[in-house]
Amino acid sequence: MQNRTPRIPEQPAPNPVDADAGLTVELASVVTGARRRALRDGDRQIDTAHLLHSLIESDPEVREAFDGGPQLAKVLGYLVQRSIGYGLRWQGSVEDSGAVPVVRNPAADVVRDPAAEGWSPSAVTAMKDALHRAGLRGEPRARGLDLLAALAADGDCRAVEVLRRAGVDARWLSRRAVERTAEVSR
């Protein structure tokens, strides 16, 4: 009789930034939720739509940044549909809004797959931008509103595509998130 080894699921992607150094506990939880969502949906990478979905689910400040319940419900509706058809066209592709160039290794003449680390280039850029926004305020840790502002500011990412389809003006949402962050930080 052969002893079967249980199948171990693929390990989650590491954080593109040091969570201990720059994320609040709440935002680290958002990243964990986005990672779980990506694994459950069978996606190769955590993308900006995963981050947006997890942000909305877990951060009341982020939910308050939207223009009322109907707008938020419509955004959540698109995010939920992702796993049942809407987002299937994204599976197997790398989200890259052009914010981070693909790195070429001249010695090996090989293009590095930006999804190899399990994060889309756009999601990495949004996380770094959130940390930068916090730093500009003199705060050592990024908040959910920092990440929302960063996501909404990238006009070509999947999170903004979801917002656009739900009728949300992403530029307006980014400005509103920045304003609300200033209010909360006082």
Side-chain angles (χ1 to χ4, degrees):
M1 176 177 258
Q2 200 171 8
N3 188 7
R4 293 190 62 173
T5 305
R7 183 179 173 276
I8 298 173
E10 198 174 313
Q11 293 299 310
N15 286 342
V17 293
D18 184 358
D20 293 333
L23 304 179
T24 60
V25 172
E26 295 82 9
L27 194 50
S29 175
V30 165
V31 170
T32 299
R35 180 181 299 117
R36 254 192 329 266
R37 184 170 303 288
L39 286 171
R40 186 188 67 224
D41 291 349
D43 293 332
R44 313 179 7 202
Q45 61 183 338
I46 297 167
D47 66 21
T48 59
H50 292 122
L51 290 171
L52 178 64
H53 199 160
S54 189
L55 259 178
I56 290 171
E57 283 184 334
S58 61
D59 193 327
E61 291 176 349
V62 166
R63 289 191 298 273
E64 289 173 10
F66 283 84
D67 192 20
Q71 185 183 62
L72 188 58
K74 198 166 182 183
V75 171
L76 276 171
Y78 276 102
L79 288 166
V80 168
Q81 288 178 26
R82 171 188 185 133
S83 61
I84 58 171
Y86 170 70
L88 291 179
R89 62 189 170 84
W90 291 337
Q91 284 185 338
S93 67
V94 174
E95 175 191 31
D96 187 5
S97 64
V100 177
V102 174
V103 179
R104 195 173 255 302
N105 178 348
D109 198 29
V110 174
V111 175
R112 181 178 67 83
D113 179 6
E117 278 79 306
W119 285 79
S120 74
S122 298
V124 170
T125 299
M127 295 298 294
K128 289 180 179 178
D129 187 24
L131 290 170
H132 178 73
R133 289 167 184 272
L136 290 175
R137 287 191 315 278
E139 294 183 16
R141 298 190 186 280
R143 311 169 66 96
L145 287 170
D146 292 315
L147 182 54
L148 179 64
L151 290 170
D154 182 353
D156 295 322
C157 72
R158 291 176 182 171
V160 169
E161 183 178 337
V162 169
L163 293 170
R164 206 176 293 127
R165 287 182 180 263
V168 177
D169 180 343
R171 283 188 224 143
W172 170 85
L173 183 61
S174 183
R175 286 190 305 271
R176 184 160 163 110
V178 169
E179 292 166 2
R180 294 190 70 81
T181 303
E183 292 170 9
V184 172
S185 297
R186 289 182 197 163

